[in-house]
Amino acid sequence: MPQFYAKMQETSGWAQEDRSEPKHADQHQEEKSQTDSSAVFSSLSQVSKLSGRTNGSHGTNMLLASDGSDDTWRKLDKQVNKYPGQREFKAIGFNQAAASAEGGPACSFRDAMVHAVERVVGSVHVECVSERPSRTGTYTSVTVGPVWVENGEQVLAIYNAMREDSRLKYFI
């Protein structure tokens, strides 16, 4: 096992022995994807702490491509995604109300993220939106989807719309 992955196992705790019954290939792939995501989040959190990006630093972490550019993301997107199709969007941000961009009454982070998706793909059914506050209530995680996207440009447009909100911390 490469040293990098061995170190990730030691620090993130994502490696566990699987003693369950044999699973169908689709089940295994879905569980592997969830485990991989957990490992990435754990590793990112550790890197953020080590680099001083926590405790009041309000930067936004974007998980689109290694260099964060739209062009790099487009190249990767062509290799791994197929359109049209359904997609979920998750945003994590500060759990506070903020004035709306149109100067109207304050809106929640949840409403702002739903609006960002709706600006690109149209109306989102209420059942396709979920929210989960952090343990302390400082942050909230909003999931919008599944929603139908026609192409990668719509995905980028949604991420760019989400980025307009200063409360955004992470998005996936």
Side-chain angles (χ1 to χ4, degrees):
M1 176 182 305
Q3 188 175 14
F4 171 75
Y5 292 110
K7 185 64 174 172
M8 284 183 64
Q9 280 184 325
E10 292 172 14
T11 60
S12 68
W14 59 268
Q16 297 177 357
E17 184 176 341
D18 184 11
R19 295 178 185 221
S20 59
E21 294 293 319
K23 297 180 177 137
H24 187 270
D26 291 341
Q27 289 174 320
H28 179 70
Q29 183 61 33
E30 182 178 327
E31 288 177 7
K32 182 183 180 321
S33 176
Q34 290 171 353
T35 303
D36 291 347
S37 297
S38 298
V40 168
F41 279 105
S42 177
S43 297
L44 285 174
S45 294
Q46 290 175 8
V47 168
S48 292
K49 287 177 186 176
L50 291 173
S51 62
R53 294 187 69 180
T54 58
N55 297 330
S57 175
H58 300 300
T60 299
N61 295 308
M62 184 170 87
L63 305 176
L64 290 180
S66 60
D67 66 0
S69 75
D70 288 353
D71 289 335
T72 303
W73 185 86
R74 283 182 182 100
K75 288 177 189 174
L76 179 62
D77 182 56
K78 283 183 181 182
Q79 294 173 1
V80 298
N81 293 316
K82 291 187 170 59
Y83 298 101
Q86 292 186 353
R87 188 173 188 128
E88 281 190 347
F89 296 88
K90 184 177 294 265
I92 301 167
F94 292 99
N95 191 16
Q96 59 192 20
S100 71
E102 295 82 24
C107 72
S108 68
F109 181 72
R110 176 191 186 278
D111 291 344
M113 294 302 103
V114 171
H115 182 68
V117 174
E118 288 181 332
R119 284 176 25 200
V120 178
V121 299
S123 181
V124 174
H125 195 278
V126 67
E127 291 179 1
C128 293
V129 179
S130 64
E131 180 179 20
R132 183 174 163 209
S134 66
R135 185 173 18 105
T136 61
T138 304
Y139 300 97
T140 189
S141 169
V142 178
T143 303
V144 182
V147 296
W148 191 260
V149 291
E150 294 294 328
N151 54 52
E153 293 305 312
Q154 283 189 321
V155 174
L156 280 176
I158 290 169
Y159 285 137
N160 288 330
M162 287 178 162
R163 241 188 269 161
E164 293 173 9
D165 194 299
S166 62
R167 296 169 292 182
L168 181 71
K169 185 80 172 146
Y170 300 94
F171 65 141
I172 306 163

